[in-house]
Amino acid sequence: MYNQIEALPREKLRELQDKQLRQMISYVYERVPFYQEMLNTSSIQPGDLHSVEDLPKLPFTRKQDLKDHYPFGMLAVPREQAIRVHASSGTTGKATVVCYTRNDIDIFSEVMARSFVAAGARPGMLLHNAYGYGLFTGGLGTHYGAEMLGMTVVPVSGGMTQRQITLILDFKPEVICCTPSYAQTLGEEFKKLGVSPDEISLKYALLGAEPWTETIRADVDATLGIRSTNLYGLSEILGPGISQECIEARAGSHIWEDHFYPEVVDPTSGEPLADGKEGVLIFTHLTREAMPLLRYWTGDITYLTHEPCICGRTHVRMGPIRGRSDDMLIIRGVNLYPTQVEEVLMGISGVVPHYQIVVKREGTLDETELKVEVAEHIFRELAQEVLSEDVVEADTQMHSLRNRIQHEIKGTLGLNMQITLAAPGTIPRSEGGKLRRVVDLRKL
Ligand code: ADP
Ligand code: ZN
């Protein structure tokens, strides 16, 4: 572990959180007009909140509140005391701006250093950092954390895949940071070049910034010869390093709870949910100086578990993110996250985890097309059959593969999808950042 606090007994952790929360409440009450008004209008005295258990008394803070105070209206310190500004990548509309004091940046780096150690990295290892540098928190956030740990950082940023390949082959990094979809892109490029996984120096990967499932994990672990773990964060709360999966268990990500207090609530009623129940993830800052938020509604869907972990860390774990509430598709009344489709594909041999979901409206009905790539060896077989003029056999084989996928999707998700088998390499790939796997033509 990087910091002994990661294994603090839970009663001690709770005592610490309660103390920090009380300080935080009076801090924002004195400094942030938005929170002063919130507390006044909900007739809560700062002194009414003794413990993190009292948090459900407070309303949520939402992305819209940050937009209403764009750019610096939520600051608890004079802007001059912030040493850095970041913004969300703007996946869902106008960017939201966040600021950090020097102390905030130190905490950012420290929780990232913890995350690196949890993922298997050690001082002295070389990091190939392919998260985007710039306004996006990914690049700089991981960069400072790796430096604090004592790694050698190569700040490659996203994109220019051929250069990334060359740098990995020449510098021989042990650790990589990037989005899971970009790890897939890199894995494929190596394969094309005939570089086998055991010739790639990489051992550990901290993948995040977009939802992914065990299907993609299996793919990137195999093609890059790594053990990948999940790194989670969002700019409003910090950036990467809010939670990280430990390499020992690879079963949920430890939330660095001494800084970010999590809750999971029902998406409709906002009521707190028990361990294991999926809902919206909420965070309350316990130590943030520049721009602390109380009960921030992330929109990300997951669950919490307080089950002890084999790694010895006591901090609560969150499940993988199923998606954001705004990524949820409603198709003929059925709720669907793209990751659910991804999970179904895991069980089907003959296809690879490169897919796209296209939803359109035909008359009054939603129609869904699932495009998925066939595995290369199957594709070669098919091509061979067509070449040897055995078109009927090829057709039967494709037909049965399509039926199998359709049947599995229907059985698991209750949806009828039109299945299109695509040739290897034809579905859009990540070119460095987050990948959108859904095309919703109903919204155009
Ligand atoms: P934007 O909201 O514009 O994408 P951010 O860069 O702040 O900007 O992105 C944070 C969001 O990215 C999170 O709220 C979440 O939806 C997604 N995300 C980050 N890390 C992960 C992860 N490990 N797994 C799934 N989703 C993630
Ligand atoms: Zn663990």
Side-chain angles (χ1 to χ4, degrees), residues 9 15 28 31 42 61 88 108 118 122 170 180 275 278 295 344 363 367-368 371 383 407 438:
E15 266 172 40
V28 296
R31 290 161 174 254
S42 47
T61 304
S88 78
F108 195 171
R122 295 291 178 267
D170 292 351
D275 260 26
E278 251 181 23
R295 300 201 87 204
V344 173
E367 294 295 341
T368 317
K371 297 184 190 173
H407 183 80
V438 176

Side-chain angles (χ1 to χ4, degrees), residues 79-97:
R79 206 268 307 128
E80 294 76 359
Q81 284 179 29
I83 62 163
R84 199 190 301 166
V85 177
H86 275 294
S88 78
S89 44
T91 311
T92 56
K94 196 174 179 180
T96 27
V97 175

Side-chain angles (χ1 to χ4, degrees), residues 54-75:
D54 297 323
L55 275 171
K57 291 179 186 165
L58 279 179
F60 299 108
T61 304
R62 294 178 187 261
K63 202 175 188 113
Q64 189 58 44
D65 297 319
L66 305 193
K67 290 184 177 171
D68 292 345
H69 296 85
Y70 176 90
F72 301 130
M74 294 289 282
L75 260 63

Side-chain angles (χ1 to χ4, degrees), residues 331-332 357-369 371 418 420 439-443:
I331 299 166
R332 295 195 184 190
I357 302 166
V358 184
V359 195
K360 52 191 167 215
R361 185 150 291 156
E362 305 270 337
T364 55
L365 284 181
D366 301 326
E367 294 295 341
T368 317
E369 181 188 8
K371 297 184 190 173
Q418 181 202 325
T420 305
V439 182
D440 196 344
L441 299 170
R442 298 172 304 179
K443 288 185 180 154

Side-chain angles (χ1 to χ4, degrees), residues 246 248-249 254 309-313 317:
C246 59
E248 295 90 336
H254 291 280
C309 185
I310 52 163
C311 72
R313 291 178 183 85
R317 279 175 288 164

Side-chain angles (χ1 to χ4, degrees), residues 88-91 136 208-211 230-231 233-235 300 321 324 434:
S88 78
S89 44
T91 311
F136 173 56
E210 64 187 6
N230 186 47
L231 169 63
L234 70 161
S235 51
D300 292 327
I321 303 284
R324 309 181 187 220
K434 307 188 190 216

